[in-house]
Amino acid sequence: MTDDRLLTGKRRKEDQDQSLRPQLLSQVIGQERVVENLKILVSAAKARKEPLDHILFYGPPGIGKTTLSTVMGKEMGVNVRPTAGPAIERAGDLAAILTHLREGDILFIDEIHRLGKAVGEILYPAMEDFVLDIVVGKGPAAKNVRLNLPRFTVIGATTRLALLSSALRSRFGAIYRLDFYSLEAMNLIVKRAAEMLRIPTDEGGASEIASRARGTPRIALRLLKRVRDFAQVRGDGTITRPIADEALDLLNVDHLGLDDIDRRVLISIIEKGGGPIGLETIAAAISEESDTIMDVCEPYLIQLGFLDRTPRGRTVTRKAYDHLKIPYNGRDDQTSTEQNPLF
Ligand code: ADP
């Protein structure tokens, strides 16, 4: 896998553009239903002069989970302490973080599905009763000590709701799914970012980028920056539709936003008769990480109606054959009737 792939779900250095992040709920574009709910949470908590309830956001990478968490911190006027499931290795690591929180602070835990079991056991009572049970000393002299914690808020983010234990899920007062953005919202996001980064962009250029960014703000921002380079080198610096079109073709991002890896996923299944085939088999066939396929490719391919997930594996639909211009092999309806959750 090359490191300059556009459609990776992982954060990269080029994404660290804090200035592009909306600061307040009123500046958040799209996700209207979630934003409405969050406004109510904020108003209610402020009126009661209480910290926010624990919140869980789930959805594909780059969709705004971290952004909304920082926005919640700004709305409440509290600090947001960011961390991530894999970064908290031992129970002691979490205890150290918790004891440094102040009343009302937000602890943002990204990839919360990757928290270890021992860490979870410390987190549950902390979330529920704001206490920390620790063992002091060793051997026969060891004592259980209970510390009171300030009332804080956990905001968890995950791409895989299904991997969260029901014990952890039940600790969250509010759980929100973030969906892919509409084309209209994507257009606004591209235009706003172009304005803030002072990249001359016309309507056609912005809408070309928006329509190929697979409903994901992080991808839209990456595409915008790559197209800016192209516009500087091959054009007069302005992003127009023909410039965006040419640049994105060169980047191998097609008009629906599919890149090489999406196409290879589909083709690997088609080569095996259209499926059903298992995730691990696909990952091995195309030498990609199964996490990338599951988190980044599949949700979008499913949303496009190109891929189905069935208990026996993944199948490709006729729509995908048509998109790839591969003759459909005449099978009867491959579309499964079984509904499976995305995450
Ligand atoms: P996640 O935590 O879901 O992986 P992020 O919150 O890091 O995603 O968002 C990725 C990028 O997309 C951020 O840099 C942010 O600037 C931008 N972004 C996310 N949501 C929005 C939004 N609703 N409006 C404008 N920009 C957004």
Side-chain angles (χ1 to χ4, degrees):
M1 186 166 63
T2 54
D3 202 39
D4 64 346
R5 275 200 46 212
L6 281 162
L7 303 189
T8 165
K10 299 189 177 93
R11 280 204 183 84
R12 285 202 309 244
K13 238 185 173 167
E14 64 174 316
D15 301 325
Q16 305 298 322
D17 224 325
Q18 297 299 339
S19 60
L20 292 178
R21 287 215 152 116
Q23 304 290 309
L24 294 170
L25 283 171
S26 57
Q27 297 165 350
V28 174
I29 299 164
Q31 308 292 353
E32 289 81 1
R33 188 190 58 84
V34 176
V35 168
E36 260 332 284
N37 278 298
L38 294 176
K39 282 183 181 162
I40 293 170
L41 282 191
V42 169
S43 305
K46 278 185 169 168
R48 289 195 304 263
K49 297 195 173 34
E50 279 178 9
L52 283 172
D53 215 345
H54 305 302
I55 303 169
L56 181 68
F57 292 123
Y58 73 101
I63 208 89
K65 301 180 292 295
T66 310
T67 303
L68 284 178
S69 309
T70 49
V71 164
M72 292 304 270
K74 289 259 163 34
E75 290 280 355
M76 292 298 294
V78 298
N79 291 316
V80 179
R81 164 76 169 88
T83 184
I88 312 175
E89 283 176 19
R90 285 160 304 148
D93 299 338
L94 181 64
I97 296 174
L98 292 176
T99 49
H100 282 90
L101 293 175
R102 281 180 297 184
E103 186 79 17
D105 277 359
I106 291 174
L107 174 61
F108 173 63
I109 310 180
D110 203 4
E111 297 186 76
I112 195 165
H113 59 275
R114 292 177 63 190
L115 269 187
K117 210 165 160 228
V119 176
E121 271 156 28
I122 297 258
L123 187 61
Y124 303 156
M127 287 174 77
E128 203 149 279
D129 303 319
F130 305 100
V131 292
L132 182 63
D133 290 312
I134 48 170
V135 182
V136 180
K138 278 193 178 145
K143 266 196 308 188
N144 280 321
V145 178
R146 174 162 277 204
L147 294 180
N148 287 323
L149 294 169
R151 293 206 51 182
F152 68 100
T153 299
V154 172
I155 301 189
T158 182
T159 50
R160 304 267 183 92
L161 185 67
L163 293 186
L164 251 66
S165 68
S166 52
L168 182 53
R169 254 194 256 186
S170 67
R171 259 75 181 182
F172 289 97
I175 300 184
Y176 301 113
R177 173 190 165 132
L178 301 182
D179 278 319
F180 291 116
Y181 289 68
S182 65
L183 196 53
E184 203 186 348
M186 292 300 289
N187 254 310
L188 290 173
I189 290 173
V190 172
K191 283 198 234 167
R192 176 177 170 273
E195 218 169 275
M196 293 182 82
L197 296 171
R198 295 178 206 280
I199 305 174
T201 310
D202 72 11
E203 282 289 330
S207 98
E208 194 59 40
I209 294 173
S211 64
R212 298 204 201 188
R214 53 205 292 148
T216 309
R218 184 182 295 143
I219 292 175
L221 302 182
R222 281 184 192 159
L223 293 181
L224 177 66
K225 289 176 185 170
R226 303 290 174 94
V227 177
R228 164 178 62 184
D229 295 344
F230 186 91
Q232 270 167 12
V233 177
R234 297 277 177 89
D236 65 0
T238 303
I239 298 181
T240 58
R241 191 184 294 279
I243 284 281
D245 196 45
E246 225 183 303
L248 294 167
D249 283 349
L250 194 66
L251 289 167
N252 250 333
V253 175
D254 75 16
H255 69 274
L256 288 180
L258 303 198
D259 84 341
D260 264 352
I261 170 170
D262 298 305
R263 283 186 289 267
R264 284 194 290 132
V265 166
L266 295 173
I267 288 167
S268 72
I269 304 173
I270 289 172
E271 279 172 350
K272 295 208 161 50
I277 79 170
L279 175 65
E280 295 305 329
T281 314
I282 302 169
I286 65 169
S287 309
E288 276 292 344
E289 288 168 26
S290 51
D291 277 0
T292 307
I293 298 175
M294 194 156 168
D295 288 344
V296 186
C297 302
E298 284 193 350
Y300 187 62
L301 293 174
I302 290 171
Q303 139 117 359
L304 286 177
F306 282 6
L307 193 73
D308 269 321
R309 250 192 223 173
T310 74
R312 289 189 301 133
R314 278 71 173 161
T315 57
V316 165
T317 64
R318 175 168 203 152
K319 246 175 128 178
Y321 281 81
D322 293 347
H323 178 73
L324 295 171
K325 301 195 171 59
I326 295 176
Y328 186 59
N329 56 9
R331 278 203 200 186
D332 288 328
D333 189 18
Q334 292 189 338
T335 320
S336 94
T337 48
E338 286 143 297
Q339 285 292 315
N340 276 287
L342 267 178
F343 303 102

